[in-house]
Amino acid sequence: MPLGINKAALFGVAGAVTDSAILLSTVTTAGAASIEFTTGITSAYKQYVFGFYKVAPITNAQSIYMITSTDGGSSYGVTTTSTYFNAYQHIIWDTTTALAYRPSSDLAQSTSPQEIAVTMAMSTQTAGGNNTPGANLAGELILYNPASTTYVKHWVCKTSWNQHLAAAYESFIAGYVNTTTAVNAIKFYAASGNIAGTIKMWGVL
């Protein structure tokens, strides 16, 4: 990834070009049905980086999803194929560790949403084994060349989050949106209930 996006993320240089990256949009919510980016995804940039900051479901033990659109968010669900790996460390009830492929979270020519975190703890959860409030998701999703009308749209996503049991999870997800129509909107939401947190969208030249 270009140094510019790292510098901008570290120092919060909003609205200013740093090397090859610019902060285009920030959405922060204490609780909404979804966080959407329906404008600004154009041919102006070859990469769009979505940074996740303190993202969490309002309802406990809910997965977080992303889904794309080709009509500015009027409808969502573009055919996608993906892979999904988890690395995790449980710290309460057992001390299980693993790095494993998760076939139930991948997509195979599907218009369903893509899971980016599984049964996450809500930020105020204190029961069910998670006795440390403050659970959330952090990470990023990179969407490559979304305005192309020739090629499919590849993306990669890496997230760190708290599972509903007290555990640290890191997910490695990647795939492609199988369309030659420009992708111009994306939505993030919880499986049930609202979502909270901040997501920033960066454009990278």
Side-chain angles (χ1 to χ4, degrees):
M1 182 187 298
L3 179 61
I5 189 65
N6 293 319
K7 289 170 67 177
L10 284 170
F11 299 112
V13 187
V17 174
T18 32
D19 295 345
S20 57
I22 185 170
L23 178 61
L24 301 174
S25 183
T26 300
V27 179
T28 299
T29 178
S34 63
I35 295 176
E36 297 184 55
F37 296 86
T38 58
T39 60
I41 303 175
T42 68
S43 60
Y45 298 94
K46 294 300 184 183
Q47 295 180 33
Y48 286 83
V49 179
F50 300 87
F52 309 126
Y53 305 84
K54 298 181 292 185
V55 173
I58 297 297
T59 304
N60 192 48
Q62 298 298 321
S63 293
I64 301 294
Y65 290 93
M66 76 88 168
I67 194 166
T68 59
S69 170
T70 58
D71 57 14
S74 295
S75 63
Y76 285 93
V78 188
T79 302
T80 298
T81 294
S82 65
T83 62
Y84 192 115
F85 286 84
N86 269 335
Y88 64 82
Q89 168 72 69
H90 290 177
I91 56 175
I92 290 181
W93 296 351
D94 64 49
T95 55
T96 303
T97 62
L99 171 61
Y101 186 64
R102 183 179 171 84
S104 62
S105 294
D106 67 15
L107 299 176
Q109 288 294 94
S110 173
T111 57
S112 296
Q114 174 64 59
E115 203 167 22
I116 62 173
V118 182
T119 55
M120 268 192 68
M122 62 184 181
S123 62
T124 57
Q125 172 70 357
T126 57
N130 184 355
N131 56 10
T132 305
N136 68 97
L137 174 147
E140 65 182 18
L141 181 147
I142 306 173
L143 177 62
Y144 295 92
N145 207 24
S148 173
T149 55
T150 303
Y151 301 105
V152 300
K153 320 304 186 293
H154 287 277
W155 54 269
V156 295
C157 182
K158 181 179 178 181
T159 58
S160 177
W161 46 278
N162 306 92
Q163 207 242 8
H164 67 93
L165 306 177
Y169 271 69
E170 186 173 18
S171 294
F172 305 87
I173 318 155
Y176 61 90
V177 185
N178 192 7
T179 181
T180 55
T181 302
V183 170
N184 55 17
I186 190 167
K187 177 168 69 172
F188 303 92
Y189 64 98
S192 179
N194 288 346
I195 189 172
T198 296
I199 300 179
K200 297 187 177 188
M201 181 173 73
W202 307 84
V204 181
L205 294 172

